[in-house]
Amino acid sequence: DTGVSQDPRHKITKRGQNVTFRCDPISEHNRLYWYRQTLGQGPEFLTYFQNEAQLEKSRLLSDRFSAERPKGSFSTLEIQRTEQGDSAMYLCASSISGSRETQYFGPGTRLLVL
Amino acid sequence: GNSVTQMEGPVTLSEEAFLTINCTYTATGYPSLFWYVQYPGEGLQLLLKATKADDKGSNKGFEATYRKETTSFHLEKGSVQVSDSAVYFCALSEPRRGSSNTGKLIFGQGTTLQVKP
């Protein structure tokens, strides 16, 4: 068990470009979550999957954001036409669903939009 | 709606001092409660958790008790070390709605702890 991994760890892009992040969860975990964390704040929920189904999306997730988990394993988060306000740390977490569910986080992808 | 409030930081302590970081929550139903820690340049690590009222979570000398009557989950440690310097986040797992449990976490804003030798 290598834990949750995310790639890339850092991304610098210019405003208007598209970016895609990848998350590989712990192998037996059926749930996968995306959060966004800005400087000095706690993480905020963006969306989550149970297996390959996307079950909930936050109102924070504008139409420029899309997430997939095509085979119920890894997930991608794409941001189209990036804006400076998208600069943040994007965190992925995975878990096994249940009443005592505990999420385990990856190291995050830090995005800077110039 | 559901929310978590933490004491503002930074909290600066000398090594071996007693630590308390206050956390209170607002939730409908019965959430699970968590403390996560974030060391500089790293992701969030689970520190401890409690899933029902009066449960005490503990790990690495840290403790927190789920107090339903005061809706609190304060983090304590009897003797802090320089290596405990980090940002600490209190979080709740959104309670069940009907037969479903989204499991999504709602975090406080974080409390920075600085421990000086």
Side-chain angles (χ1 to χ4, degrees):
Chain A
D1 179 2
T2 58
V4 179
S5 62
Q6 292 186 245
D7 184 69
R9 293 290 305 275
H10 303 273
K11 179 71 176 178
I12 300 174
T13 191
K14 293 182 179 178
R15 192 174 49 186
Q17 297 294 303
N18 298 344
V19 294
T20 300
F21 309 141
R22 176 178 170 127
C23 171
D24 287 89
I26 295 171
S27 57
E28 66 269 24
H29 286 187
N30 61 339
R31 282 190 173 177
L32 187 149
Y33 297 81
W34 286 99
Y35 294 84
R36 181 170 66 190
Q37 185 181 20
T38 53
L39 205 59
Q41 299 298 315
E44 295 176 296
F45 170 80
L46 293 178
T47 189
Y48 90 101
F49 294 83
Q50 181 153 317
N51 301 312
E52 64 275 10
Q54 188 173 19
L55 296 186
E56 187 173 340
K57 294 195 290 186
S58 163
R59 280 169 281 185
L60 293 175
L61 214 63
S62 77
D63 291 345
R64 296 184 296 106
F65 287 70
S66 62
E68 294 183 342
R69 194 183 184 198
K71 295 182 181 179
S73 57
F74 73 92
S75 175
T76 57
L77 177 68
E78 181 182 18
I79 309 174
Q80 296 183 326
R81 304 181 303 282
T82 52
E83 302 173 356
Q84 288 184 324
D86 297 330
S87 297
M89 174 78 88
Y90 290 84
L91 296 168
C92 176
S94 71
S95 67
I96 297 173
S97 60
S99 61
R100 294 171 186 259
E101 178 178 347
T102 299
Q103 293 178 32
Y104 296 90
F105 282 80
T109 295
R110 185 170 292 283
L111 173 66
L112 177 61
V113 182
L114 302 177
Chain B
N2 302 318
S3 66
V4 175
T5 302
Q6 290 181 235
M7 63 187 285
E8 289 199 17
V11 173
T12 303
L13 296 172
S14 297
E15 208 165 21
E16 299 184 2
F18 185 85
L19 168 71
T20 300
I21 300 178
N22 290 339
C23 171
T24 57
Y25 68 90
T26 302
T28 53
Y30 305 99
S32 294
L33 300 174
F34 303 84
W35 278 100
Y36 282 86
V37 58
Q38 189 171 36
Y39 297 101
E42 298 185 15
L44 294 170
Q45 297 178 25
L46 177 67
L47 183 59
L48 53 84
K49 69 176 185 179
T51 57
K52 61 183 188 298
D54 300 325
D55 267 3
K56 178 186 282 189
S58 61
N59 185 28
K60 300 180 181 178
F62 291 90
E63 293 183 340
T65 300
Y66 189 142
R67 301 285 188 201
K68 184 169 175 286
E69 64 277 11
T70 54
T71 62
S72 66
F73 192 54
H74 304 321
L75 183 68
E76 297 182 335
K77 186 176 185 182
S79 175
V80 294
Q81 306 299 313
V82 172
S83 57
D84 294 326
S85 299
V87 182
Y88 292 81
F89 292 95
C90 184
L92 67 82
S93 176
E94 196 169 65
R96 284 180 176 273
R97 290 179 290 181
S99 60
S100 67
N101 175 15
T102 69
K104 75 182 184 189
L105 293 174
I106 296 169
F107 286 87
Q109 74 273 30
T111 303
T112 300
L113 171 65
Q114 298 172 340
V115 180
K116 298 188 174 179

